[in-house]
Amino acid sequence: MPRFIAIRVLEGLATLLVSSFLIFGALYLAPGDPLSYLIGNRTLSDEAIAALREQYHLDDPFLVRWVAWLGDVLTGDLGRSITYRDDVLSLLGPRLATTTLLIAYALVVIVVIGVGLGIVAALSRRALSDVILAGTSIGVAIPSFVAASTLISVFAVGLGWFPAFGPGDGFFDRLYHLTLPVIALTLAAGSYVIRVTRAALREEAARDQVKAAVARGLPRRTIIGRHILRNGLTPVATVVGLTLTSLIVGSVVVERAFALDGIGALLTEAVAKKDFGVVQAICLLLITAVVIVVLIVDVIQVVIDPRVRERQGIAA
């Protein structure tokens, strides 16, 4: 197991290194001169312009700038925002709390409702199962931005049940404000989890050991708990973990739609204003979160599934 984890960690670090190179390079290949965004509408002397170019390493070769930026990131210095004239780390701190709460709330909804409805669809009668499956077909097909617009129009503007914009104040008020964003964020991902859960449990229910347990006359509750759920939820746990990565990426669109003060809304604003430091830091932060989630999912899969341990050559 330690060797397996070490290999996955090295793979994750390699992914982050390549990603940092692509993020840094993509922004400098984009149209426009970053110096023009630094200067804005001001008229500066040649000496002031030279000082700005030196401060932001604009005259250095590309690889030198990338290595310098990567070195600063490793020491906790994410640079300065061109737009806000402040350290990027100071900008991310308060906004990270909103994004973290949004994703955590969405994950709870997916685990409780998504997995729960998947279990119901797998173990219930055909009519109810078909109704749930039809609902998931609609949910999977609706993008987050379409769901956000519809939810705002119906439940915020039309019915007035929920606020349309803003993150709220205090923990419970924040949960109230984040309810519509969470629904928009989890509609497609939750529908997918329902379908995967239903398929996994139905496949497990058709196995020989379950049929043998039924033939021995074991109670239905025992068969479901010991044979179907225990083995069938193993792939579901993996899918839920990987779904978390889609929540991290999808939060960017949802935060913008509901005017939340999260890092997703900050990212879209920074891209529009070509605020290099903010864009680079947030993109790297999102990729780091995805890499960590994938690593955790890999480890959990090895721990709970002996078949994976056998394929990886890991001793129990």
PDB file of all heavy atoms in Angstrom, residues 32-49:
ATOM      1  N   GLY A  32      -3.270  40.200 -26.718  1.00  0.00           N
ATOM      2  CA  GLY A  32      -3.169  41.336 -25.810  1.00  0.00           C
ATOM      3  C   GLY A  32      -1.873  41.338 -25.036  1.00  0.00           C
ATOM      4  O   GLY A  32      -1.279  40.290 -24.778  1.00  0.00           O
ATOM      5  N   ASP A  33      -1.446  42.536 -24.673  1.00  0.00           N
ATOM      6  CA  ASP A  33      -0.209  42.715 -23.926  1.00  0.00           C
ATOM      7  C   ASP A  33      -0.560  42.902 -22.458  1.00  0.00           C
ATOM      8  O   ASP A  33      -1.343  43.810 -22.122  1.00  0.00           O
ATOM      9  CB  ASP A  33       0.547  43.938 -24.452  1.00  0.00           C
ATOM     10  CG  ASP A  33       1.876  44.150 -23.735  1.00  0.00           C
ATOM     11  OD1 ASP A  33       2.263  43.267 -22.944  1.00  0.00           O
ATOM     12  OD2 ASP A  33       2.505  45.192 -23.972  1.00  0.00           O
ATOM     13  N   PRO A  34      -0.031  42.081 -21.561  1.00  0.00           N
ATOM     14  CA  PRO A  34      -0.348  42.259 -20.140  1.00  0.00           C
ATOM     15  C   PRO A  34       0.056  43.623 -19.621  1.00  0.00           C
ATOM     16  O   PRO A  34      -0.529  44.135 -18.665  1.00  0.00           O
ATOM     17  CB  PRO A  34       0.444  41.128 -19.455  1.00  0.00           C
ATOM     18  CG  PRO A  34       1.472  40.705 -20.447  1.00  0.00           C
ATOM     19  CD  PRO A  34       0.875  40.938 -21.786  1.00  0.00           C
ATOM     20  N   LEU A  35       1.050  44.254 -20.247  1.00  0.00           N
ATOM     21  CA  LEU A  35       1.483  45.570 -19.792  1.00  0.00           C
ATOM     22  C   LEU A  35       0.376  46.606 -19.962  1.00  0.00           C
ATOM     23  O   LEU A  35       0.239  47.513 -19.134  1.00  0.00           O
ATOM     24  CB  LEU A  35       2.735  45.999 -20.568  1.00  0.00           C
ATOM     25  CG  LEU A  35       3.385  47.315 -20.115  1.00  0.00           C
ATOM     26  CD1 LEU A  35       3.861  47.198 -18.681  1.00  0.00           C
ATOM     27  CD2 LEU A  35       4.534  47.683 -21.042  1.00  0.00           C
ATOM     28  N   SER A  36      -0.423  46.466 -21.003  1.00  0.00           N
ATOM     29  CA  SER A  36      -1.515  47.420 -21.224  1.00  0.00           C
ATOM     30  C   SER A  36      -2.550  47.336 -20.115  1.00  0.00           C
ATOM     31  O   SER A  36      -3.172  48.350 -19.762  1.00  0.00           O
ATOM     32  CB  SER A  36      -2.174  47.159 -22.588  1.00  0.00           C
ATOM     33  OG  SER A  36      -2.769  45.873 -22.613  1.00  0.00           O
ATOM     34  N   TYR A  37      -2.743  46.140 -19.537  1.00  0.00           N
ATOM     35  CA  TYR A  37      -3.682  45.991 -18.433  1.00  0.00           C
ATOM     36  C   TYR A  37      -3.086  46.529 -17.137  1.00  0.00           C
ATOM     37  O   TYR A  37      -3.814  46.984 -16.258  1.00  0.00           O
ATOM     38  CB  TYR A  37      -4.079  44.524 -18.262  1.00  0.00           C
ATOM     39  CG  TYR A  37      -4.927  44.009 -19.391  1.00  0.00           C
ATOM     40  CD1 TYR A  37      -4.352  43.468 -20.535  1.00  0.00           C
ATOM     41  CD2 TYR A  37      -6.311  44.084 -19.329  1.00  0.00           C
ATOM     42  CE1 TYR A  37      -5.134  43.001 -21.588  1.00  0.00           C
ATOM     43  CE2 TYR A  37      -7.107  43.624 -20.372  1.00  0.00           C
ATOM     44  CZ  TYR A  37      -6.504  43.087 -21.501  1.00  0.00           C
ATOM     45  OH  TYR A  37      -7.281  42.640 -22.541  1.00  0.00           O
ATOM     46  N   LEU A  38      -1.775  46.477 -17.030  1.00  0.00           N
ATOM     47  CA  LEU A  38      -1.121  47.034 -15.853  1.00  0.00           C
ATOM     48  C   LEU A  38      -1.191  48.560 -15.851  1.00  0.00           C
ATOM     49  O   LEU A  38      -1.384  49.190 -14.816  1.00  0.00           O
ATOM     50  CB  LEU A  38       0.347  46.592 -15.799  1.00  0.00           C
ATOM     51  CG  LEU A  38       0.608  45.112 -15.510  1.00  0.00           C
ATOM     52  CD1 LEU A  38       2.075  44.788 -15.719  1.00  0.00           C
ATOM     53  CD2 LEU A  38       0.200  44.783 -14.084  1.00  0.00           C
ATOM     54  N   ILE A  39      -1.027  49.141 -17.033  1.00  0.00           N
ATOM     55  CA  ILE A  39      -1.008  50.598 -17.137  1.00  0.00           C
ATOM     56  C   ILE A  39      -2.414  51.179 -17.122  1.00  0.00           C
ATOM     57  O   ILE A  39      -2.694  52.190 -16.479  1.00  0.00           O
ATOM     58  CB  ILE A  39      -0.268  51.024 -18.435  1.00  0.00           C
ATOM     59  CG1 ILE A  39       1.195  50.570 -18.366  1.00  0.00           C
ATOM     60  CG2 ILE A  39      -0.350  52.532 -18.626  1.00  0.00           C
ATOM     61  CD1 ILE A  39       1.975  50.835 -19.631  1.00  0.00           C
ATOM     62  N   GLY A  40      -3.356  50.484 -17.819  1.00  0.00           N
ATOM     63  CA  GLY A  40      -4.717  50.997 -17.908  1.00  0.00           C
ATOM     64  C   GLY A  40      -4.771  52.264 -18.736  1.00  0.00           C
ATOM     65  O   GLY A  40      -4.158  52.365 -19.797  1.00  0.00           O
ATOM     66  N   ASN A  41      -5.500  53.268 -18.226  1.00  0.00           N
ATOM     67  CA  ASN A  41      -5.639  54.550 -18.936  1.00  0.00           C
ATOM     68  C   ASN A  41      -4.622  55.583 -18.486  1.00  0.00           C
ATOM     69  O   ASN A  41      -4.705  56.745 -18.887  1.00  0.00           O
ATOM     70  CB  ASN A  41      -7.061  55.104 -18.727  1.00  0.00           C
ATOM     71  CG  ASN A  41      -8.129  54.215 -19.326  1.00  0.00           C
ATOM     72  OD1 ASN A  41      -7.914  53.615 -20.384  1.00  0.00           O
ATOM     73  ND2 ASN A  41      -9.273  54.109 -18.650  1.00  0.00           N
ATOM     74  N   ARG A  42      -3.687  55.176 -17.672  1.00  0.00           N
ATOM     75  CA  ARG A  42      -2.697  56.123 -17.170  1.00  0.00           C
ATOM     76  C   ARG A  42      -1.600  56.372 -18.199  1.00  0.00           C
ATOM     77  O   ARG A  42      -1.350  55.552 -19.079  1.00  0.00           O
ATOM     78  CB  ARG A  42      -2.070  55.590 -15.876  1.00  0.00           C
ATOM     79  CG  ARG A  42      -3.052  55.388 -14.724  1.00  0.00           C
ATOM     80  CD  ARG A  42      -2.377  54.723 -13.546  1.00  0.00           C
ATOM     81  NE  ARG A  42      -1.921  53.370 -13.894  1.00  0.00           N
ATOM     82  CZ  ARG A  42      -1.140  52.617 -13.114  1.00  0.00           C
ATOM     83  NH1 ARG A  42      -0.710  53.100 -11.967  1.00  0.00           N
ATOM     84  NH2 ARG A  42      -0.784  51.411 -13.497  1.00  0.00           N
ATOM     85  N   THR A  43      -0.951  57.515 -18.036  1.00  0.00           N
ATOM     86  CA  THR A  43       0.222  57.849 -18.858  1.00  0.00           C
ATOM     87  C   THR A  43       1.448  57.779 -17.958  1.00  0.00           C
ATOM     88  O   THR A  43       1.583  58.557 -17.002  1.00  0.00           O
ATOM     89  CB  THR A  43       0.090  59.253 -19.459  1.00  0.00           C
ATOM     90  OG1 THR A  43      -1.097  59.311 -20.265  1.00  0.00           O
ATOM     91  CG2 THR A  43       1.299  59.577 -20.325  1.00  0.00           C
ATOM     92  N   LEU A  44       2.341  56.824 -18.240  1.00  0.00           N
ATOM     93  CA  LEU A  44       3.505  56.610 -17.405  1.00  0.00           C
ATOM     94  C   LEU A  44       4.777  56.940 -18.173  1.00  0.00           C
ATOM     95  O   LEU A  44       4.821  56.869 -19.405  1.00  0.00           O
ATOM     96  CB  LEU A  44       3.566  55.149 -16.922  1.00  0.00           C
ATOM     97  CG  LEU A  44       2.372  54.642 -16.103  1.00  0.00           C
ATOM     98  CD1 LEU A  44       2.594  53.197 -15.710  1.00  0.00           C
ATOM     99  CD2 LEU A  44       2.154  55.497 -14.859  1.00  0.00           C
ATOM    100  N   SER A  45       5.772  57.273 -17.404  1.00  0.00           N
ATOM    101  CA  SER A  45       7.077  57.546 -18.002  1.00  0.00           C
ATOM    102  C   SER A  45       7.737  56.238 -18.415  1.00  0.00           C
ATOM    103  O   SER A  45       7.323  55.154 -18.010  1.00  0.00           O
ATOM    104  CB  SER A  45       7.965  58.295 -17.011  1.00  0.00           C
ATOM    105  OG  SER A  45       8.214  57.482 -15.869  1.00  0.00           O
ATOM    106  N   ASP A  46       8.786  56.368 -19.221  1.00  0.00           N
ATOM    107  CA  ASP A  46       9.521  55.180 -19.651  1.00  0.00           C
ATOM    108  C   ASP A  46      10.127  54.445 -18.466  1.00  0.00           C
ATOM    109  O   ASP A  46      10.192  53.207 -18.450  1.00  0.00           O
ATOM    110  CB  ASP A  46      10.619  55.579 -20.649  1.00  0.00           C
ATOM    111  CG  ASP A  46      10.042  56.108 -21.951  1.00  0.00           C
ATOM    112  OD1 ASP A  46       8.867  55.800 -22.233  1.00  0.00           O
ATOM    113  OD2 ASP A  46      10.768  56.831 -22.670  1.00  0.00           O
ATOM    114  N   GLU A  47      10.557  55.222 -17.462  1.00  0.00           N
ATOM    115  CA  GLU A  47      11.152  54.592 -16.278  1.00  0.00           C
ATOM    116  C   GLU A  47      10.103  53.779 -15.502  1.00  0.00           C
ATOM    117  O   GLU A  47      10.377  52.671 -15.023  1.00  0.00           O
ATOM    118  CB  GLU A  47      11.768  55.652 -15.359  1.00  0.00           C
ATOM    119  CG  GLU A  47      12.997  56.339 -15.901  1.00  0.00           C
ATOM    120  CD  GLU A  47      12.647  57.406 -16.947  1.00  0.00           C
ATOM    121  OE1 GLU A  47      11.437  57.711 -17.099  1.00  0.00           O
ATOM    122  OE2 GLU A  47      13.574  57.907 -17.605  1.00  0.00           O
ATOM    123  N   ALA A  48       8.892  54.322 -15.386  1.00  0.00           N
ATOM    124  CA  ALA A  48       7.831  53.607 -14.668  1.00  0.00           C
ATOM    125  C   ALA A  48       7.417  52.346 -15.416  1.00  0.00           C
ATOM    126  O   ALA A  48       7.172  51.294 -14.805  1.00  0.00           O
ATOM    127  CB  ALA A  48       6.622  54.522 -14.473  1.00  0.00           C
ATOM    128  N   ILE A  49       7.355  52.443 -16.749  1.00  0.00           N
ATOM    129  CA  ILE A  49       7.012  51.266 -17.557  1.00  0.00           C
ATOM    130  C   ILE A  49       8.087  50.198 -17.414  1.00  0.00           C
ATOM    131  O   ILE A  49       7.785  49.004 -17.276  1.00  0.00           O
ATOM    132  CB  ILE A  49       6.830  51.667 -19.026  1.00  0.00           C
ATOM    133  CG1 ILE A  49       5.590  52.549 -19.177  1.00  0.00           C
ATOM    134  CG2 ILE A  49       6.698  50.427 -19.910  1.00  0.00           C
ATOM    135  CD1 ILE A  49       5.385  53.082 -20.574  1.00  0.00           C
TER     136      ILE A  49
END
